[in-house]
Amino acid sequence: MNIYGYVRVSTKEQNEDRQLIALGEVGVLEKNIFLDKQSGKDFNRPQYKKLLRKLRKDDLLYIKSIDRLGRNYDEILEQWRILTKEKRIDIVVLDMPLLDTRRGKDLMGTFLSDIVLQVLSFVAENERTTIRQRQAEGIAAAKAKGVRFGRPPKPLPDNFHSLYQQWKNGKITGTAAAERCGMALSTFRYRAEIYEKSKFW
């Protein structure tokens, strides 16, 4: 029997130390830990695929939490099925001691484990959906208050006001005004629109 560990972080900026420490504490050797740094959107996990190829019947796999196995409810359940039914390995989920397939190999143990897995998978997906919804609501609320996202715009050139007036009065074209401001025509029109609105506040 070989003992393995799997670690996944959702972005390359996230730190995997918490998961690595937990696996080390249960005795997983560093050489047997497979680590993926993949975004939730792109779920092409090369190290997980490599791990699947190495796993043999009765091997033991440790993961820190159930959502390391997939992005959503269906994916987690599918990977659990592949690991326990096709690969016929044992899995221990460190954050949830009930999810330890070494215990209760009888029908009742398997049944309870499957129920717990389905509930946890649903909760994990629901939490992610809630977080995304809160983020979207927070961004919408901030935008409604006038908070701008992205880089702040460059300050307007000193000659913008006079050139804007000439352009509004039809004395020069937008192209000429943009050129003298050192802007693209689309940028000049965009900044002119904002400038015009700001005069009414």
Side-chain angles (χ1 to χ4, degrees):
M1 181 191 77
N2 291 307
I3 300 173
Y4 296 100
Y6 179 65
V7 172
R8 179 175 68 83
V9 287
S10 303
T11 67
K12 294 191 175 171
E13 289 76 34
Q14 279 186 344
N15 194 306
E16 64 276 8
D17 289 351
R18 186 175 64 89
Q19 294 178 62
L20 291 172
I21 290 166
L23 294 177
E25 286 173 350
V26 293
V28 183
L29 299 176
E30 197 174 323
K31 65 174 186 174
N32 285 347
I33 294 176
F34 292 76
L35 166 65
D36 277 315
K37 289 193 176 188
Q38 297 288 324
S39 71
K41 191 165 59 176
D42 175 17
F43 211 60
N44 176 28
R45 299 181 291 168
Q47 288 300 306
Y48 182 71
K49 289 177 180 175
K50 189 175 175 183
L51 169 64
L52 282 179
R53 289 195 294 271
K54 282 187 85 76
L55 289 170
R56 297 290 177 267
K57 182 178 178 292
D58 296 327
D59 282 349
L60 175 59
L61 174 65
Y62 283 98
I63 55 173
K64 181 77 172 75
S65 55
I66 192 64
D67 61 357
R68 299 304 87 195
L69 284 182
R71 291 170 297 185
N72 54 49
Y73 176 75
D74 291 334
E75 210 160 54
I76 292 168
L77 292 177
E78 175 62 10
Q79 292 310 312
W80 187 274
R81 186 193 63 77
I82 289 168
L83 292 165
T84 59
K85 303 292 194 295
E86 291 183 15
K87 292 290 181 179
R88 299 173 73 189
I89 67 156
D90 279 313
I91 307 175
V92 176
V93 181
L94 296 174
D95 282 354
M96 178 51 64
L98 277 171
L99 286 179
D100 180 345
T101 60
R102 296 171 302 177
R103 298 177 186 172
K105 291 283 188 182
D106 59 2
L107 186 61
M108 180 56 73
T110 304
F111 175 68
L112 288 173
S113 180
D114 283 349
I115 287 175
V116 172
L117 172 69
Q118 294 211 26
V119 170
L120 287 178
S121 302
F122 174 76
V123 169
E125 183 179 1
N126 199 49
E127 278 180 359
R128 279 192 297 272
T129 303
T130 303
I131 289 166
R132 281 197 299 269
Q133 186 179 338
R134 283 178 185 159
Q135 285 172 338
E137 287 170 357
I139 290 167
K143 283 183 175 176
K145 288 180 180 176
V147 176
R148 290 180 61 86
F149 293 88
R151 287 182 297 180
K154 290 180 183 177
L156 292 171
D158 294 337
N159 61 351
F160 184 85
H161 177 74
S162 62
L163 288 167
Y164 167 81
Q165 292 296 341
Q166 291 176 56
W167 170 67
K168 282 299 279 183
N169 295 328
K171 292 180 180 174
I172 57 171
T173 64
T175 304
E179 206 170 280
R180 289 185 207 171
C181 285
M183 299 175 178
L185 177 59
S186 58
T187 304
F188 175 78
R189 285 183 173 153
Y190 174 69
R191 299 301 294 272
E193 188 180 334
I194 293 171
Y195 180 74
E196 193 166 327
K197 284 177 183 173
S198 69
K199 292 193 302 178
F200 295 103
W201 294 95

